[in-house]
Amino acid sequence: MIDIHAHILPDLDDGSENLEESLEMAELAVQSGVKIIVATPHSNQMGRFENFHSEQLLEKYRQLRTALEKEKIPLHILEGMEIFASEDMAQKIKNKQLSGINGSDYYLVEFPFDADPWWIRECLEEIFDIGKIPLIAHPERYFCVQDYPELVYEWLQNGCVTQMNKGSILGRFGKNVMKTAHVLLKNDLISCMASDAHRSYIRTPYMSEAKEMLLHLGGYEFTWYLTEKNPECIIKNRQIPLHGRKPEKRRKYFMPAHR
C-alpha cells in the first residue's frame, strides 16, 4: 500500500513528537503492508504550524530516511505537506512556499471543518487557475459534506481528487463522520484512502483494519484503486480516471461502480 497522508516527521506539528516515535510509526506502517508513506506535516497554519518549503524542512526528511536505513525499516518516505486553506494559498504555491505530493501537481489541502462550501469552491478554483490539482483531505469530516455529500461529486466532476481517513470508516471520529464516509465510498466518491497518522499509539499508520473494511464494502479491485493504484498515480503525477456518482439526498447506499 501507499499512504499519501501521514504526520510522521518528528517535532514539526501535532504528529510524531520525536525521531523514536517516527520509527515506531514506520514499523507499524510496514507491519500493515505499507511500503511508501508521504510525510505531510501541517503547513500554512499561520502562527502555529507554518512549515513552508525550506532547507530546514528538507533536512527533517533526510534525517528520517537516514534513521530508517540505519534501523533497516523498509519504508520509503516521500515529501509532501497538508496545506491549510487560505485566501493567499494559490499565491504561496506559485511562490514555491507550498509543495505538492512528491513534487507533483497534486496539492493536499485541508479546510476548516465548518468551512462554507462557497468559500471551498473559490479556493479550489484558484488552485486550478494556476495549473495545479486540489487533493481534498478527509472531505467526510467537513460539516457541509455531512449535510450535502453531493458536494463531493461536484468537486470530483470539476477535476479534484479526494482522500479519506482510515479512521473515518472505522468510527474513530464519530457516527456522523462514519456515516458520511460510507455514503462517499458506496458512491465511489473517494480517490484514495490514507492514514492521516499522528502518533504511534493513537491515529496510527497501521492500515490493515481499513483495508479489510474496504474489501468488505467494494471488493479487491475497489480496494486496490484506493490503497495502491490511485495513490501511485498521485506520487507519479499521473491522471486519476474520473469516478463517482451523485448520491441520492436520502443517502441511499450504492455499491461502487467499476472504473
Side-chain angles (χ1 to χ4, degrees):
M1 288 183 283
I2 300 172
D3 185 355
I4 64 162
H5 182 177
H7 300 267
I8 193 172
L9 286 187
D11 194 28
L12 280 179
D13 56 13
D14 57 350
S16 172
E17 289 191 332
N18 50 52
L19 186 57
E20 182 180 359
E21 183 168 33
S22 296
L23 293 175
E24 291 174 356
M25 292 172 70
E27 288 180 335
L28 286 171
V30 170
Q31 289 170 13
S32 70
V34 175
K35 295 183 178 180
I36 299 172
I37 273 188
V38 183
T40 53
H42 287 294
S43 67
N44 202 38
Q45 291 190 16
M46 303 310 297
R48 191 183 183 209
F49 305 129
E50 297 180 5
N51 290 325
F52 295 127
H53 181 77
S54 66
E55 182 58 33
Q56 290 79 8
L57 182 60
L58 293 176
E59 179 61 24
K60 286 282 189 179
Y61 288 101
R62 288 193 285 265
Q63 289 174 358
L64 180 54
R65 289 178 181 128
T66 299
L68 289 169
E69 184 176 353
K70 180 180 179 181
E71 297 298 324
K72 295 181 171 55
I73 300 174
L75 184 68
H76 190 42
I77 300 290
L78 299 180
E79 296 161 18
M81 52 180 61
E82 182 181 18
I83 302 165
F84 194 73
S86 64
E87 293 181 358
D88 60 352
M89 174 172 53
Q91 185 60 50
K92 287 176 177 175
I93 291 174
K94 290 178 67 176
N95 294 343
K96 301 187 184 305
Q97 293 173 274
L98 301 173
S99 306
I101 299 295
N102 195 35
S104 73
D105 291 331
Y106 291 94
Y107 284 71
L108 181 66
V109 180
E110 175 186 29
F111 294 92
F113 293 156
D114 61 352
D116 186 289
W118 295 102
W119 183 72
I120 292 177
R121 181 180 296 174
E122 289 181 1
C123 291
L124 298 175
E125 289 176 352
E126 289 179 0
I127 295 175
F128 283 122
D129 286 344
I130 60 172
K132 306 302 181 183
I133 303 169
L135 169 55
I136 302 172
H138 42 64
E140 71 280 0
R141 301 188 71 187
Y142 305 142
F143 301 154
C144 61
V145 172
Q146 292 170 21
D147 292 335
Y148 304 102
E150 58 268 26
L151 284 169
V152 180
Y153 174 78
E154 296 175 8
W155 297 338
L156 287 172
Q157 290 296 304
N158 289 333
C160 299
V161 293
T162 55
Q163 171 262 308
M164 179 174 285
N165 283 5
K166 67 148 189 172
S168 297
I169 61 171
L170 300 174
R172 307 284 165 76
F173 302 109
K175 291 183 179 179
N176 285 340
V177 173
M178 183 171 66
K179 183 177 181 181
T180 304
H182 282 259
V183 170
L184 298 180
L185 287 169
K186 293 289 186 176
N187 287 280
D188 199 20
L189 294 172
I190 296 300
S191 307
C192 56
M193 182 71 63
S195 69
D196 191 5
H198 277 65
R199 306 302 291 269
S200 59
Y201 57 89
I202 188 171
R203 294 184 67 176
T204 76
Y206 194 82
M207 291 284 286
S208 291
E209 289 178 296
K211 185 175 182 179
E212 290 175 5
M213 180 67 77
L214 291 176
L215 287 167
H216 174 73
L217 290 172
Y220 174 79
E221 185 178 11
F222 184 61
T223 303
W224 176 69
Y225 270 106
L226 289 172
T227 61
E228 297 182 51
K229 179 60 176 179
N230 286 346
E232 182 181 40
C233 288
I234 291 169
I235 66 174
K236 293 186 176 180
N237 205 29
R238 297 173 180 167
Q239 185 176 0
I240 291 176
L242 184 65
H243 59 92
R245 68 177 83 188
K246 191 172 184 178
E248 288 190 359
K249 291 185 179 180
R250 290 181 298 174
R251 298 185 178 183
K252 183 179 179 181
Y253 283 9
F254 293 93
M255 286 305 295
H258 292 295
R259 301 180 203 178

